[in-house]
């Protein structure tokens, strides 16, 4: 039987609707949530992502402060901008689009962002809180993945979850979130000897590698929930995921499409974190 398609686009729209009420609550107190979006260089994919993030801010009434810096920007210049944004009252969240051009040290930049403005959740404070099961900013893509599972009634408790890819942006935090929900989690990566066997054991299969269709249909267990976090450009210029969607949907129980799955959810959760940052500073709680 063909899989249920997890509609990330619709779910993201629902989250944005809920956020509008939160933003109104802030607006009633004279507060406009502000997100600084820093883009260094000319990476075409990064430019597209940043444009979508800024557009969504506008739609919701979040003020976006765009900082487009040239490829030649030095580490010191970038750190100086971060310091200014850390000190700027109008800025509640700071996002530095990754990857940074060669020669810039992303880790040092992540360390420099004030913990209370780390809406991407990539800094040591946020990632530490995640490990400790303490409240904090959860990285947006893994957070979106968990929301998709939840929305479709897929409870990780007692299930075997396999995460393919060990990045700080997705794989590692997603594994922690699945563990938090009592899944038995396996992390796979380029040195995993038998990726197919691991994937076939997964009730929940999450893939975040960045290689088009690397997961074929025969790597998916019957009835599994498949969360595809890859965004790749196919030979025809269209977006394709890390999973061979057409083949996998014949075996999976649930599957996210690309586009229309993890992508829109990532942006929705970034908006969530930005509103969370603004509400926390105002001494208010999120209602969801
Ligand atoms: N590059 C790819 N995904 C992300 C993300 O979620 N945040 C940032 N800042 N950069 C990214």
């Amino acid at each position: 039987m063909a899989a249920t398609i997890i509609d990330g686009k619709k779910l993201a729209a629902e989250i944005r609707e809920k956020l509008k009420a939160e933003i109104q609550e802030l607006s009633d107190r004279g507060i406009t949530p502000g997100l600084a979006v820093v883009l260094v260089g000319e990476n075409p994919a990064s430019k597209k992502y940043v444009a979508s993030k800024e557009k969504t801010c506008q739609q919701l009434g979040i003020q976006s402060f765009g900082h487009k810096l040239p490829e030649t920007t030095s580490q010191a210049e970038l750190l100086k901008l971060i310091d200014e944004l850390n000190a700027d009252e109008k800025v509640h969240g700071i996002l530095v689009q990754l990857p940074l051009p060669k020669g810039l040290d992303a880790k040092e930049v992540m360390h420099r962002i004030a913990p209370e403005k780390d809406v991407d959740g990539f800094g040591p404070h946020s990632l530490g809180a995640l490990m400790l099961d303490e409240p904090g900013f959860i990285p947006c893509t893994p957070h979106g993945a968990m929301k998709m599972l939840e929305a479709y009634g897929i409870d990780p408790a007692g299930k075997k979850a396999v995460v393919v890819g060990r990045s700080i942006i997705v794989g590692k935090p997603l594994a922690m979130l699945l563990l938090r929900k009592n899944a038995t989690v396996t992390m796979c990566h380029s040195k995993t000897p038998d990726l197919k066997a691991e994937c076939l054991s997964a009730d929940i299969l999450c893939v975040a590698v960045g290689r088009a269709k690397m997961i074929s249909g025969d790597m998916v267990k019957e009835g599994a929930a498949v969360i595809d976090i890859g965004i790749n450009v196919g030979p025809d210029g269209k977006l394709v995921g890390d999973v061979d969607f057409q083949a996998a949907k014949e075996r999976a129980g649930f599957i996210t499409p690309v586009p229309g799955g993890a992508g829109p959810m990532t942006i929705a959760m970034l908006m969530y974190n930005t509103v969370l940052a603004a509400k926390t500073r105002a001494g208010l709680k999120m209602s969801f």
Side-chain angles (χ1 to χ4, degrees):
M1 211 176 72
T4 299
I5 310 298
I6 296 179
D7 191 344
K9 202 170 159 187
K10 177 160 162 261
L11 194 53
E14 287 168 13
I15 290 170
R16 291 197 301 272
E17 270 317 301
K18 285 202 245 176
L19 285 174
K20 280 186 187 163
E22 311 273 329
I23 293 165
Q24 185 59 49
E25 191 188 341
L26 285 163
S27 173
D28 291 344
R29 290 162 199 255
I31 300 164
T32 306
L35 175 66
V37 180
V38 180
L39 173 66
V40 188
E42 302 289 332
N43 180 314
S46 290
K47 277 180 161 173
K48 254 174 84 172
Y49 295 146
V50 160
S52 301
K53 290 170 183 178
E54 290 181 323
K55 189 172 148 210
T56 311
C57 281
Q58 270 167 19
Q59 285 168 352
L60 291 185
I62 294 174
Q63 197 171 4
S64 76
F65 302 94
H67 293 268
K68 311 268 186 304
L69 306 180
E71 193 95 19
T72 52
T73 301
S74 69
Q75 183 77 7
E77 284 165 332
L78 182 53
L79 292 176
K80 183 166 169 280
L81 173 62
I82 301 297
D83 289 342
E84 286 163 12
L85 296 172
N86 281 341
D88 187 338
E89 291 259 306
K90 295 190 292 301
V91 172
H92 297 92
I94 301 170
L95 174 144
V96 178
Q97 189 64 31
L98 301 176
L100 289 172
K102 273 207 185 74
L104 292 175
D105 178 356
K107 227 179 235 177
E108 193 185 17
V109 174
M110 299 303 126
H111 273 258
R112 195 71 157 242
I113 294 171
E116 67 276 15
K117 298 192 180 189
D118 180 25
V119 289
D120 251 333
F122 299 156
H125 189 92
S126 302
L127 290 170
L130 184 61
M131 288 284 287
L132 293 165
D133 285 333
E134 288 174 2
F137 296 113
I138 297 171
C140 308
T141 305
H143 199 183
M146 296 304 290
K147 289 279 175 200
M148 289 194 283
L149 292 174
E150 189 187 320
Y152 283 78
I154 303 157
D155 181 3
K159 299 214 171 74
K160 175 93 198 278
V162 170
V163 178
V164 187
R166 53 178 156 180
S167 70
I168 281 295
I169 294 180
V170 186
K172 279 189 200 172
L174 181 52
M176 292 315 300
L177 291 169
L178 287 161
L179 187 60
R180 191 186 269 188
K181 291 286 180 194
N182 300 311
T184 301
V185 184
T186 301
M187 294 198 71
C188 297
H189 44 78
S190 52
K191 302 287 190 289
T192 298
D194 191 348
L195 182 63
K196 182 173 177 181
E198 297 293 352
C199 289
L200 275 172
S201 75
D203 304 308
I204 299 173
L205 176 62
C206 303
V207 193
V209 172
R211 191 140 52 87
K213 297 190 185 183
M214 68 167 289
I215 303 295
S216 49
D218 62 357
M219 294 168 85
V220 174
K221 181 177 171 178
E222 283 289 339
V226 179
I227 306 290
D228 186 352
I229 299 166
I231 301 182
N232 313 286
V233 182
D236 54 0
K238 288 198 180 134
L239 291 185
V240 283
D242 288 353
V243 177
D244 181 347
F245 180 82
Q246 289 306 331
K249 80 173 179 9
E250 298 306 320
R251 288 170 62 117
F254 298 86
I255 188 166
T256 62
V258 177
M265 286 301 288
T266 294
I267 299 183
M269 299 326 291
L270 172 67
M271 300 298 122
Y272 179 93
N273 277 352
T274 304
V275 175
L276 171 64
K279 289 196 89 171
T280 304
R281 198 202 290 167
L284 300 170
K285 291 245 178 296
M286 295 293 287
S287 66
F288 74 107

